[in-house]
Amino acid sequence: PPRSTLFPYTTLFRSINPGITVAGNIKIDGTPTGTPPTFSVRLTPREQGVGVGQPQPAKADANGSFRLDDINPDRYNVNVTPMPQGYYIKSMRAGNTDVMASGLDLANGAATLEIVVSPNAPQVTGVVQNSSTGQPAIAVTVVLIPQEPERKEQSYYYSSNTTDQYGRFTFNRVVPGEYKVYAFEDVQSGSWYDPDFMKPIESKGQSVSVREGAPTALQLTTIPIQ
């Protein structure tokens, strides 16, 4: 039956049965500059069901340990906040599962998360030229799009920015991996998540391999308005 017809029974089940516990630890890989940040962990349901609230975030203690109780047995994206300038989530695993790529599935019960945060986020910079005039392209949208299939479903791996008055752009928090970079003369925000929108212009992106500890500088040309 449709999900909506199951809702009253699902709600009753959840109100009678205790929820699931998600515990874990956040580790900083490397030496942070300044005072180490204090992180919170938030679970966001991948499917927003009617009447199903978002769990309250859990603040990690001084040792990086955290715990969330009474969580519904759904699938979640795991978010770590705040993420200071220059930091990025290097890995996030529940046992042998890469939670960043697949999400956290609690259908089988309690989970233990091991999260590694690095203060050495790769930086991607560049300059964009107008495809018609060759002049610096001002206030155009530059987008980094992940190329690994398992990452394309996760907004965390995408980055977007706008060029300054000199056509320059900077991304300070990029997860290492394979990307294509696009400079749009004009684009509706978020259109790049739509495969149908991207398909005709896929070949116009510039490929780039991003690695930790290796800054990347690019020179791009705008993609004309279709």
Side-chain angles (χ1 to χ4, degrees), residues 128 141-147 152 169 178-184 192 197-209 218-224 226:
V128 182
T141 300
V142 183
V143 183
L144 281 173
I145 297 181
Q147 295 304 291
K152 287 191 174 183
F169 64 89
E178 303 300 317
Y179 294 86
K180 278 193 174 182
V181 192
Y182 298 81
F184 296 104
W192 45 86
F197 172 80
M198 292 302 303
K199 189 173 182 180
I201 59 174
E202 187 173 2
S203 63
K204 297 182 179 180
Q206 182 171 323
S207 297
V208 59
S209 294
L218 304 173
Q219 183 151 356
L220 305 177
T221 302
T222 54
I223 299 172
Q226 301 297 308

Side-chain angles (χ1 to χ4, degrees), residues 45-148:
R46 283 200 162 190
E47 293 185 10
Q48 297 290 342
V50 179
V52 179
Q54 182 169 294
Q56 289 297 311
K59 189 174 182 178
D61 64 20
N63 297 317
S65 297
F66 62 88
R67 179 186 176 106
L68 300 101
D69 292 309
D70 200 25
I71 307 300
N72 291 328
D74 297 320
R75 175 173 282 187
Y76 298 87
N77 289 327
V78 183
N79 304 299
V80 179
T81 58
M83 196 59 59
Q85 187 82 354
Y87 282 70
Y88 78 101
I89 300 174
K90 189 169 186 175
S91 68
M92 184 185 296
R93 307 192 71 84
N96 294 322
T97 303
D98 181 353
V99 174
M100 287 179 65
S102 66
L104 177 63
D105 190 350
L106 298 180
N108 295 321
T112 300
L113 285 172
E114 295 296 331
I115 301 172
V116 178
V117 175
S118 172
N120 299 311
Q123 186 181 77
V124 176
T125 62
V127 177
V128 182
Q129 291 182 336
N130 186 284
S131 59
S132 301
T133 66
Q135 297 300 309
I138 301 170
V140 301
T141 300
V142 183
V143 183
L144 281 173
I145 297 181
Q147 295 304 291
E148 296 90 337

Side-chain angles (χ1 to χ4, degrees), residues 161-179:
N161 209 333
T162 304
T163 57
D164 65 13
Q165 67 268 35
Y166 304 106
R168 301 176 304 196
F169 64 89
T170 299
F171 296 107
N172 286 314
R173 191 180 300 142
V174 182
V175 179
E178 303 300 317
Y179 294 86

